[in-house]
Amino acid sequence: MRTVEFKEYGGPEVLTLVETVAPEPGPGQVTIDAAYAGVNFADVKARSEGYRVPRLPFVPGLEVSGRIRAVGDGVQGLRPGQEVAAFLDSGGYAEVVTAPSATVFPLPDGVDLRTGATLPTVLPTAHAVLHEVGRLRAGESVLVQGAAGGVGTVAGQLARAAGAGAVYGVVSSAEKAAYALAHGYDEVFVGDTFPDGVRRATEGRGVDLVLDPVGGETLRRGLDALAVFGRLVSFGNAGGARPWHVGQPELYPGGRSVAGFSILELAAHAPATLRALAERAFRTVTEGQAVLPVTAEFALPDAADAHLLMEGRTSTGKLVLRIAG
């Protein structure tokens, strides 16, 4: 089978197409003939700086869609030939993928394989940061960093479906702002001056919930944009800054709070919880509450081009690799 791996850290050019032997499932595992793989910023960080890479060579890829090839001992509720989406800790850039059965999900009715590859990371993350961690209530206001990215595209729609009073986004360009406005946002701010825009839009009050995948100074500006009793949820460090620290001086005066979420950590420590979360999140697609457009598709041998586009910070929506066909 073909797979894409890297043997050293560096630019997109270190991604190499290789031939290897197709794996067999172990106990509690399934193998999947992959049709599509989602491309995530975590894949870029793995390739460029070794994020969550235990050893080299390494095959990136956190999510795939396809058909089950074989099931291992003890697997129940899944069968060969079944169309599924799967969340992985790595290995998605391959024609045959091994996945723990706990994070393999039959595709919801009406969802095709191409769309299925967009579901496993983005939908559960957006649902969790809004609801399980962010505790969004009807009528509250939300501010989403990276509003034109995969999670941002879904978060704006889900916030609107949940009855948010106002949904604001932050992006890095006017082109991304236009995209975000078409996916559930009332107003979108461009650049680092967004706290000024929030104060203007909320008449000085601030927002109730901030969702931040960037970290660093962006996270601190998000704290400044919170209303009294507001919450900020950190779910990434795309800016590459040192780990953030906040304490009494930032939180006590307005009764604010900060929480965190990582789908990778949830999968590692509470896979049953992730499964329940994913099933709730996937229903938002079948119920029409959210759509996640695939804005660029690349063949598996062109994975480096997908990384180059994502690294350039000009992409919107979801990028996928076409593996079968």
Side-chain angles (χ1 to χ4, degrees), residues 35-38 65-66 107 111-119 292-298 318 320-322:
Y36 294 90
S65 64
L107 283 186
V111 175
D112 61 22
L113 287 167
R114 189 171 185 259
T115 302
T118 72
L119 302 182
L292 179 54
V294 173
T295 52
E297 178 182 312
F298 300 83
K318 190 68 177 180
V320 299
L321 300 179
R322 184 181 68 257

Side-chain angles (χ1 to χ4, degrees), residues 32-110:
I32 300 168
D33 288 318
Y36 294 90
V39 180
N40 292 282
F41 194 68
D43 303 340
V44 173
K45 290 184 67 177
R47 187 216 72 227
S48 61
E49 58 189 63
Y51 173 67
R52 298 182 65 89
V53 176
R55 67 189 64 85
L56 296 173
F58 184 78
V59 179
L62 299 176
E63 58 189 345
V64 299
S65 64
R67 295 177 178 85
I68 293 179
R69 179 185 180 98
V71 300
D73 291 342
V75 173
Q76 297 181 347
L78 298 170
R79 64 183 188 279
Q82 192 173 17
E83 292 190 345
V84 295
F87 178 80
L88 318 164
D89 60 2
S90 64
Y93 292 14
E95 289 181 320
V96 181
V97 172
T98 303
S101 61
T103 56
V104 176
F105 310 96
L107 283 186
D109 292 341

